Amino acid sequence: MSAAHPVTHHDIAMFLREKIRSGALQPGDAIPSEATLCAQFGSARGTVRQAVATLRAEGVISSGQGRRSRVVQRIASQSFDDVVSFSQWCRSNGIEPGQRTQSVTRGFAGAQLAEDFHIGQDDPVVSVHRLRLMDGAPAMVERLNYPLHVGKHVLSFDPDTGSIYEQLIANGVDIDHALRVIDAIEAPEEDATLLGVTPGTPLLRVRRKAFTASGSPIESSDDRYLFTKASFAVTSSRSNPQNVSMVSTPR
């Protein structure tokens, strides 16, 4: 890096992530020392410490507790885009995403969505029902709901052409954080028909609520995956927060 472009803690954290991702640093390996990283990047010790703290917060490395931190696993965390966007999650796993839109509607919120969005039951919402594909094969039934001020960007978009999440971001929608609740259900007849399975087949259900930076709810979704297509991985350690990420099931 030149003086005009000084090394930041993001640069150092990215370097270490790539070492872990590529296998140059294996689970259990100690990361380079602060002195080594300072010399390599010509950076201050505080910058290196901030980079290491970032990876600890992500659950990628353990707390050193007086010793050098060690790799916990290859990659323990998942980007926010992968959490919210099915398309981006697929691409990050080397899978081609696809979709077959069943419906896009503007209607009234009703009791449940009014509660989810803190609006009136007669207020307008936009709802999307899609079958999602992984490498051309049925994988998940998706039901998305938005208050109208967000959903208007969906009404002007052909959801068969790609990612609704990317469309919302491109239109300046503030999607800051999300909550996911994961459980298992038996496939109802409608979902089973779309997915090509027998009614009652176990499905992995992921219900998500997304919020703006100020905490306003702007999405309520219900995604139902074939259990052969996705699972969840959790890494825990004594020193780091628990991180959860969805991982593709080997085909």
Side-chain angles (χ1 to χ4, degrees):
M1 294 284 180
S2 68
H5 300 284
V7 171
T8 69
H9 76 277
H10 295 294
D11 298 319
I12 300 173
M14 185 179 300
F15 166 80
L16 292 172
R17 286 192 200 97
E18 183 54 36
K19 287 291 186 183
I20 296 168
R21 184 180 291 110
S22 68
L25 287 173
Q26 294 285 330
D29 288 349
I31 66 170
S33 67
E34 286 185 4
T36 297
L37 291 171
C38 286
Q40 180 174 351
F41 288 95
S43 60
R45 191 173 294 269
T47 303
V48 169
R49 288 177 176 172
Q50 192 174 0
V52 171
T54 297
L55 295 188
R56 285 176 183 161
E58 293 175 357
V60 176
I61 60 176
S62 66
S63 173
Q65 296 181 339
R67 301 183 299 261
R68 281 158 59 189
S69 295
R70 295 183 179 273
V71 177
V72 174
Q73 69 173 50
R74 192 64 59 85
I75 284 293
S77 62
Q78 184 176 40
S79 75
F80 181 76
D81 289 345
D82 286 355
V83 168
V84 177
S85 172
F86 174 86
S87 294
Q88 294 194 39
W89 170 68
C90 281
R91 294 188 196 114
S92 71
N93 282 278
I95 298 167
E96 181 62 32
Q99 51 278 319
R100 296 175 189 160
T101 302
Q102 307 301 303
S103 64
V104 179
T105 60
R106 170 177 167 164
F108 299 113
Q112 185 58 60
L113 291 179
E115 180 179 346
D116 289 346
F117 295 136
H118 306 158
I119 58 177
Q121 294 191 27
D122 293 331
D123 286 342
V125 296
V126 175
S127 301
V128 180
H129 181 203
R130 293 193 294 183
L131 173 67
R132 303 309 303 267
L133 310 175
M134 296 171 67
D135 287 337
M140 182 262 281
V141 176
E142 176 182 69
R143 293 175 174 87
L144 306 169
N145 301 282
Y146 305 96
L148 183 59
H149 72 278
V150 175
K152 66 182 181 181
H153 301 298
V154 180
L155 292 175
S156 61
F157 174 69
D158 179 0
D160 268 349
T161 63
S163 171
I164 289 176
Y165 171 73
E166 292 171 3
Q167 167 74 0
L168 296 178
I169 294 298
N171 280 276
V173 175
D174 173 21
I175 305 177
D176 180 77
H177 57 282
L179 168 69
R180 291 188 291 180
V181 177
I182 306 160
D183 60 7
I185 63 169
E186 295 182 353
E189 185 171 351
E190 180 183 25
D191 293 352
T193 298
L194 288 173
L195 293 168
V197 297
T198 303
T201 297
L203 300 179
L204 179 68
R205 180 172 63 176
V206 182
R207 287 171 290 175
R208 183 181 65 248
K209 292 182 181 179
F211 304 85
T212 65
S214 64
S216 298
I218 54 173
E219 181 193 76
S220 178
S221 69
D222 183 317
D223 299 339
R224 301 176 182 186
Y225 290 83
L226 289 172
F227 68 89
T228 56
K229 296 295 185 179
S231 59
F232 279 79
V234 181
T235 295
S236 301
S237 73
R238 293 181 183 275
S239 57
N240 294 322
Q242 191 172 78
N243 290 274
V244 181
S245 60
M246 187 158 60
V247 296
S248 174
T249 301
R251 290 162 287 168

